[in-house]
Amino acid sequence: MSKNSSNPFTVPEGFFEEARSRAVAGASEVRRRRRNAGIALISGAAALAIVVAAGTMMRSRTAARLYDESAGWLASAEYDVFLANELIYENGMDY
Amino acid sequence: MDRVDQRFEKIVQEYSEPLYWHIRRLVVSHEDAQDLLQDTLVTVYRKLWQLRDPSKEKAWLFRCATNVVNHFFRRKKRELGDRTLDEYLEQTLRDSEYVNYTEAAGVKLQKGLLTLTPQQRTVFTLRYYDELDYGEIARITGSKPETLKVSYHNAKEKLKKIIEEDE
């Protein structure tokens, strides 16, 4: 078996130069996709952070509003009447 | 251009040809080998960061190519349906535009290669044509060097017999 005379295969002319160029172009494409995927990831993370921050702010505002409303209710004359009625109902007390 | 890109370009310059011939001897068809070389080199670029030891570069590159070829064979088997992979490879060898049929000894040897088991064919190609040692072939195929020696010996004997029978 002679190694030198044992290759029956041929390739089109200029094939290896073309294959090398294609490989380098393929690597650039991988780089481009990686970069785009990186940008998409950073954008996604930023969007998520904005949503979380907005949600936190909304929750704080809602809590503050509820607190103010309940504080207002506790300080109101209606609450005094309500409390008095409760006392009368539970203990039969008159004030 | 960063270090990975420089290293990749060096690999492309140095190994495109040997990798192509390794793939071509296994898949026979030039068109398939062309596509698989491209797949191999893209895989190499993606995974180049995994290669820490430069002394293992050659074996690592041939392993990438062999894995790409094995994956192609699995896909091809499913596509072929009733026909076997060996039948497909034999037909490719008969009908290919890029085979020099006047190179009778080479065609005969390639026909003989198609009678070997896939393991024997890979080991024979890596040892005989690509001149890798058994340690390197073991890293590529995941087999023990002793098993590979037996496999290579059996392949060589089988091929000798086929060539002698034809003469």
Side-chain angles (χ1 to χ4, degrees):
Chain A
M1 284 187 287
S2 166
K3 216 179 287 187
N4 293 332
S5 64
S6 60
N7 186 8
F9 297 131
T10 60
V11 292
E13 214 178 306
F15 165 69
F16 287 112
E17 288 72 24
E18 193 199 317
R20 287 187 187 101
S21 308
R22 272 174 39 152
V24 173
S28 311
E29 179 61 19
V30 171
R31 258 197 317 274
R32 193 186 64 77
R33 283 188 191 178
R34 273 184 187 162
R35 204 169 39 237
N36 288 350
I39 291 166
L41 189 69
I42 291 165
S43 309
L48 186 67
I50 290 167
V51 168
V52 169
T56 309
M57 267 174 68
M58 276 173 71
R59 275 212 306 278
S60 324
R61 280 184 190 165
T62 308
R65 187 168 51 78
L66 286 173
Y67 176 80
D68 288 347
E69 278 176 7
S70 48
W73 159 247
L74 289 172
S76 67
E78 285 92 346
Y79 179 70
D80 290 342
V81 173
F82 165 79
L83 195 63
N85 286 336
E86 286 293 296
L87 287 169
I88 292 164
Y89 177 75
E90 282 181 11
N91 306 312
M93 285 172 67
D94 202 355
Y95 64 98
Chain B
M1 191 186 279
D2 67 14
R3 275 173 54 198
V4 171
D5 292 339
Q6 279 174 356
R7 196 174 180 188
F8 178 70
E9 290 213 0
K10 196 170 163 278
I11 285 171
V12 167
Q13 289 305 320
E14 205 173 320
Y15 286 103
S16 287
E17 249 185 272
L19 288 174
Y20 169 82
W21 288 120
H22 170 64
I23 296 168
R24 179 81 191 270
R25 285 182 197 106
L26 296 174
V27 302
V28 180
S29 149
H30 164 69
E31 289 76 12
D32 289 339
Q34 183 180 13
D35 291 344
L36 297 176
L37 174 68
Q38 176 75 1
D39 292 352
T40 301
L41 291 172
V42 169
T43 305
V44 164
Y45 182 73
R46 280 174 204 251
K47 296 187 173 178
L48 199 51
W49 62 272
Q50 292 177 1
L51 178 65
R52 302 259 158 80
D53 185 353
S55 68
K56 291 177 181 160
E57 187 177 82
K58 189 177 178 186
W60 185 77
L61 293 169
F62 276 84
R63 191 173 71 210
C64 284
T66 306
N67 287 344
V68 166
V69 169
N70 289 339
H71 179 73
F72 166 77
F73 281 155
R74 282 197 292 275
R75 189 160 39 92
K76 201 75 198 172
K77 268 183 196 166
R78 283 198 298 272
E79 281 172 18
L80 287 169
D82 291 342
R83 286 169 70 205
T84 66
L85 191 60
D86 288 342
E87 282 168 353
Y88 168 76
L89 296 174
E90 278 163 26
Q91 195 195 342
T92 309
L93 184 61
R94 274 198 308 271
D95 305 337
S96 177
E97 188 186 339
Y98 297 107
V99 173
N100 179 8
Y101 294 102
T102 61
E103 189 65 75
V107 174
K108 200 188 287 176
L109 181 58
Q110 192 60 42
K111 265 186 197 164
L113 273 173
L114 296 179
T115 66
L116 303 177
T117 65
Q119 156 95 348
Q120 284 174 337
R121 205 180 301 161
T122 306
V123 174
F124 185 84
T125 305
L126 290 167
R127 179 80 191 118
Y128 182 73
Y129 290 107
D130 303 316
E131 298 178 336
L132 292 159
D133 63 43
Y134 288 110
E136 287 173 313
I137 302 174
R139 278 200 289 276
I140 293 166
T141 59
S143 306
K144 288 180 182 165
E146 295 73 28
T147 315
L148 296 171
K149 279 179 194 170
V150 174
S151 203
Y152 180 72
H153 175 77
N154 290 342
K156 209 171 167 181
E157 290 305 306
K158 207 169 169 181
L159 288 171
K160 265 187 192 168
K161 213 172 166 182
I162 290 167
I163 290 166
E164 281 164 9
E165 270 171 12
D166 278 6
E167 279 168 357

